[in-house]
Amino acid sequence: MDWDIVTAGDTHAVARRLAHVLDGCYAPLHDRAQRVLVKQDEQELVIDVSPLQGSTIEEDVALRDFTVNAMAVPLTEAVSAVATDVPLTPILIDPLHGEQDLRTGTLRATSASALEYDPLRILRAVRFMTYYAFTLDPTTVTLIEQAVPRLAQVASERIHEELYAILRPAGATERLYCLDQLHVLTALLPELDVARGMLQPVLHHWDVFDHSLRTVFMLEALGTTLQQTPEEIAQSPFDIGGQGDLLALKELLLEAEEQHIFSFATLLSPQMKLAALLHDIGKPPTHAVDEEGNITFYHHPQAGVPLIRTIAKRLSISTHDGRLMQQVAAHHMRPGQLSQDPVTPRAIRRYFMDLGPNGIYVALVALADHLAMRGPEPLTIHWQRHRGTVRLLLTCYIRERDSILPPRLIQADELMRRYHLEPGPLIGQLLEAIAEAQAEGVVHSREDIFWFAEEKLHQLQSTGEK
């Protein structure tokens, strides 16, 4: 249980005293509010100490966000009641009838100005609905819709924290639709708005907007399925056609966890769900219809990368998470494309040279993308091929990584010194060519590499001059 303490006294002094008595840690939040952290067995007790707003506690709670948070009890009586397991109701200070709303599961704003005062409370409302199964009362819905434009005034770091909290638990797609119904989703991600109603080629059941949200649902469903028992996996609709692909994928992913190159927690993390949501963000700007009426989205994976870069900056998404999202957007089509022809060792090597261990996550999003494409329509042989290709990709990387990606025998700086080269794309092309030659057994030693590099360099430079 976390505690929020309001005092008319010195918050610094109160917090320091609590930390001393409870053997906790004192952590100032800002000029006025203070925090005390107390370790209790395996858990952590959080006590926030804030100054009284207004002249009375009734005035203070009236300034809170929602009525269920606008209740208080005198601290001494509260501690005594908790210690003796006595109900708090007789001593409850509840001027806005928050207890009644708590009993009925109603989330109600404390006042008409509560959401205008801090528009982040809009996202907090959806989070409370997520964690506590609250239902918004109609007046609060109206207040949220009116306050949405003010979200632009909220610090991006605060929005990022709340958005990740909303996406973290299972059932993220339902909450994304809730955000959309409140006109919040496209306020945060205006790039998605134009995707609404944008039709796709005939194999797609949903428009671009709904497909994007359904991909999050399918990522959760696939990630959950891959952690089930063999008997449950065999009953999954994703296991159509048998072939043991799903069970094999589960075993591969468990091995990858042991190698610390993958985790199911990351697969179902907020950043991966956001990556799944934005995987087709490049479709709207590349949408076209040819003379025969065929819908196309040529080069949409590449077009999505700068858009995600912009979104990541706007939402204060970390460099690590932003890079993963960009990789998903740029490469989510590759596993499906590989499934159309026999997969060569070179194609597998290039895939993981480009993506490294993140190629595992990209491949799984690609499967979720395929499932979301079909909607309620039955899966076909194309799903089986796609699934089998991902199994092959993961098998090669998780179990045969040394053979497809042998250790590099030479570094970029050595090539630059030996051949008097400047940093640039040519160095990357040269290193990639050497890596492929090494994996194919064309070169075996540093001497072989120098011979190969000189010949390849001449070839690349000649091509560049043309």
Side-chain angles (χ1 to χ4, degrees):
M1 177 188 297
D2 293 345
W3 289 70
D4 290 319
I5 297 176
V6 172
T7 178
D10 185 340
T11 57
H12 293 273
V14 172
R16 289 182 183 279
R17 179 61 178 164
L18 281 171
H20 175 73
V21 171
L22 299 175
D23 194 23
C25 297
Y26 169 63
L29 293 180
H30 45 76
D31 289 342
R32 303 181 65 176
Q34 320 300 320
R35 174 166 290 179
V36 176
L37 303 174
V38 182
K39 292 286 186 181
Q40 292 185 327
D41 298 325
E42 304 258 331
Q43 298 181 337
E44 188 174 65
L45 172 66
V46 179
I47 304 173
D48 287 341
V49 183
S50 305
L52 182 71
Q53 304 295 309
S55 58
T56 66
I57 188 63
E58 286 80 7
E59 290 181 12
D60 183 284
V61 297
L63 297 173
R64 302 299 173 104
D65 48 10
F66 304 103
T67 58
V68 293
N69 286 333
M71 298 180 282
V73 292
L75 181 59
T76 303
E77 287 87 337
V79 172
S80 176
V82 170
T84 57
D85 200 22
V86 172
L88 293 172
T89 304
I91 56 174
L92 191 64
I93 300 168
D94 185 17
L96 301 178
H97 311 292
E99 184 186 23
Q100 177 61 29
D101 284 342
L102 188 60
R103 292 182 184 279
T104 60
T106 302
L107 195 62
R108 189 189 315 274
T110 54
S111 67
S113 61
L115 300 175
E116 292 184 358
Y117 173 76
D118 184 1
L120 188 72
R121 291 171 172 178
I122 296 171
L123 293 179
R124 196 174 299 156
V126 177
R127 175 162 61 87
F128 288 164
M129 293 167 66
T130 299
Y131 284 82
Y132 307 113
F134 285 127
T135 301
L136 288 171
D137 87 292
T139 300
T140 301
V141 171
T142 301
L143 294 175
I144 286 176
E145 292 172 346
Q146 292 172 349
V148 164
R150 293 177 177 267
L151 274 171
Q153 304 169 8
V154 179
S156 58
E157 293 83 3
R158 299 179 69 211
I159 290 178
H160 169 270
E161 184 177 350
E162 285 292 341
L163 181 60
Y164 269 38
I166 289 170
L167 292 173
R168 187 168 288 111
T173 301
E174 180 181 351
R175 295 187 294 280
L176 288 171
Y177 274 112
C178 177
L179 288 171
D180 186 51
Q181 290 168 1
L182 296 169
H183 310 295
V184 175
L185 183 61
T186 50
L188 299 178
L189 300 169
E191 296 84 354
L192 275 176
D193 200 26
V194 68
R196 196 188 310 274
M198 182 173 283
L199 298 180
Q200 303 201 75
V202 65
L203 288 178
H204 288 76
H205 182 83
W206 310 106
D207 65 17
V208 176
F209 181 85
D210 284 313
H211 169 76
S212 299
L213 272 69
R214 303 271 176 179
T215 302
V216 179
F217 176 85
M218 286 302 179
L219 180 66
E220 285 190 353
L222 183 63
T224 300
T225 298
L226 290 172
Q227 296 180 78
Q228 292 177 333
T229 66
E231 294 75 21
E232 290 172 322
I233 290 175
Q235 297 299 316
S236 168
F238 305 154
D239 199 39
I240 180 176
Q243 301 174 317
D245 288 335
L246 287 183
L247 185 57
L249 283 175
K250 172 183 178 175
E251 294 170 351
L252 286 163
L253 294 174
L254 290 175
E255 291 178 29
E257 281 198 312
E258 293 177 356
Q259 297 175 25
H260 304 291
I261 57 174
F262 168 84
S263 77
F264 279 107
T266 299
L267 179 65
L268 298 176
S269 66
Q271 60 266 33
M272 281 303 304
K273 293 175 186 178
L274 195 53
L277 175 67
L278 299 175
H279 78 282
D280 272 345
I281 201 67
K283 280 187 172 178
T286 58
H287 175 263
V289 181
D290 64 21
E291 295 178 354
E292 298 178 356
N294 298 311
I295 299 170
T296 63
F297 300 100
Y298 293 133
H299 308 299
H300 78 269
Q302 294 76 21
V305 172
L307 293 174
I308 290 180
R309 196 176 295 126
T310 299
I311 292 168
K313 183 177 181 180
R314 185 169 68 238
L315 296 179
S316 290
I317 292 170
S318 70
T319 301
H320 177 273
D321 289 359
R323 179 171 176 268
L324 177 59
M325 293 173 192
Q326 291 172 52
Q327 287 179 315
V328 168
H331 300 282
H332 70 274
M333 298 283 289
R334 286 176 72 174
Q337 291 167 342
L338 289 174
S339 69
Q340 297 172 15
D341 297 297
V343 186
T344 65
R346 173 175 289 187
I348 296 172
R349 181 166 54 254
R350 289 197 169 192
Y351 178 82
F352 285 107
M353 283 178 64
D354 289 340
L355 293 169
N358 280 352
I360 299 174
Y361 297 107
V362 172
L364 294 172
V365 173
L367 290 182
D369 179 26
H370 188 122
L371 292 168
M373 175 186 72
R374 296 300 298 162
E377 304 296 329
L379 295 170
T380 67
I381 186 65
H382 297 292
W383 163 249
Q384 296 177 51
R385 291 172 181 166
H386 197 164
R387 190 182 63 195
T389 298
V390 170
R391 175 182 177 178
L392 175 61
L393 286 171
L394 269 56
T395 299
C396 290
Y397 187 70
I398 295 168
R399 293 179 178 167
E400 304 164 13
R401 190 158 56 251
D402 289 344
S403 64
I404 65 167
L405 296 173
R408 183 175 291 178
L409 296 178
I410 194 168
Q411 302 299 321
D413 57 349
E414 190 170 359
L415 287 174
M416 289 188 288
R417 285 197 306 271
R418 187 178 183 92
Y419 299 109
H420 309 291
L421 301 173
E422 296 295 326
L426 182 61
I427 299 297
Q429 292 175 320
L430 194 55
L431 286 171
E432 183 176 340
I434 292 171
E436 287 192 1
Q438 188 180 344
E440 293 170 359
V442 175
V443 300
H444 302 88
S445 64
R446 287 172 56 82
E447 289 75 12
D448 289 344
I449 285 177
F450 291 135
W451 164 80
F452 177 85
E454 190 168 340
E455 185 175 282
K456 191 67 179 179
L457 181 61
H458 177 73
Q459 178 185 342
L460 290 171
Q461 289 175 329
S462 298
T463 302
E465 290 171 1
K466 295 178 183 178

